[in-house]
Amino acid sequence: RATITLGGGAADDFIVDGTTLVVEGDNNRVGIGTAAPTSLLHLKSTDTGGDNDWSKNSILLENADDADAEIGLVISTHDSGSDYWFAGCNQVGTVFNFAYGSAWSGAYDVLSLATGASQFIGELAIYPSTADTEGLEIQGVYSNSNTSSRIFFKESTDDTNGFSLIYAGDTDPTLGGTGFTITQNTFAIVNHNSSAAGSVAVAIPRATGYVGIGAAAPNSLLHLYDAAG
């Protein structure tokens, strides 16, 4: 049987069994497992985990209606507007997504983690400051058995300067909104000099392992080509 009390202080806390559930009226905080919550929702466990019982130290979000239902966390940093961050499962129970958009169903997947130890990155950006969009970007585009990926060392905000490491699983992939002219199943180093599409500086086809410098389709172990003659 639960013991329900009201605190004697100015907060007039609503208390269930000491620390099982505490609602603080003066600061609008809720504590589970603690009598002194320090955030809007404060969950605290005193279990050491020695018995390997994960249920004592975890939060469970469950949608039992459909195996492919939407479930997760929605984060907003503004009082008005239409875009949010989403973290959870978006209609596919075997894939965990970090997404951004106005609605979960149409949100843009920034990072997706799939079961079976496989990971697919839609786009991951690492910038030196929140005021910049220059730094490191990791991009991928899925095509069944022909997926392409890119690591972009981005010097300028307009995507026109820097270097890219690209594996073209399919012919002429589009990565990060830019189309690249690269032969299928080829690893390439792309030079961006005032050009988003850039030019292939080094190409290594998967089938031969030949290295082309200035040659997009090398036909010898080391193929050097000067387009300027």
Side-chain angles (χ1 to χ4, degrees):
R1 179 180 299 178
T3 301
I4 300 175
T5 58
L6 292 178
D12 287 332
D13 297 348
F14 179 83
I15 302 169
V16 177
D17 285 344
T19 61
T20 299
L21 173 66
V22 174
V23 179
E24 292 190 339
D26 59 339
N27 53 27
N28 298 322
R29 293 174 179 173
V30 175
I32 297 178
T34 175
T38 58
S39 60
L40 289 177
L41 177 60
H42 186 166
L43 310 180
K44 182 178 180 180
S45 172
T46 57
D47 183 71
T48 61
D51 56 2
N52 200 29
D53 185 358
W54 64 269
S55 66
K56 296 180 180 179
N57 297 288
S58 61
I59 301 172
L60 177 63
L61 300 179
E62 183 177 9
N63 188 332
D65 181 60
D66 192 326
D68 293 328
E70 300 169 352
I71 186 168
L73 302 176
V74 182
I75 301 172
S76 171
T77 59
H78 46 73
D79 294 330
S80 62
S82 58
D83 290 329
Y84 305 88
W85 280 100
F86 301 89
C89 298
N90 185 8
Q91 300 181 2
V92 180
T94 57
V95 179
F96 188 88
N97 305 93
F98 293 92
Y100 185 77
S102 59
W104 185 276
S105 59
Y108 173 68
D109 287 337
V110 177
L111 174 64
S112 298
L113 304 177
T115 58
S118 62
Q119 299 182 9
F120 175 73
I121 296 177
E123 182 168 339
L124 173 64
I126 303 173
Y127 301 134
S129 74
T130 55
D132 253 328
T133 56
E134 305 168 1
L136 179 67
E137 292 185 358
I138 302 174
Q139 301 158 347
V141 58
Y142 173 78
S143 177
N144 189 20
S145 300
N146 296 299
T147 294
S148 300
S149 302
R150 175 194 190 195
I151 300 176
F152 185 15
F153 300 90
K154 185 179 177 182
E155 179 184 341
S156 58
T157 58
D158 58 4
D159 295 355
T160 60
N161 292 295
F163 277 89
S164 290
L165 304 179
I166 296 176
Y167 178 73
D170 208 350
T171 302
D172 300 340
T174 296
L175 294 153
T178 300
F180 295 90
T181 303
I182 303 174
T183 304
Q184 185 178 19
N185 300 330
T186 296
F187 175 80
I189 299 176
V190 176
N191 173 30
H192 303 275
N193 185 29
S194 298
S195 170
S199 60
V200 176
V202 178
I204 307 175
R206 189 190 69 195
T208 63
Y210 292 166
V211 177
I213 299 179
N219 52 30
S220 61
L221 191 61
L222 178 61
H223 184 165
L224 307 180
Y225 177 74
D226 184 0

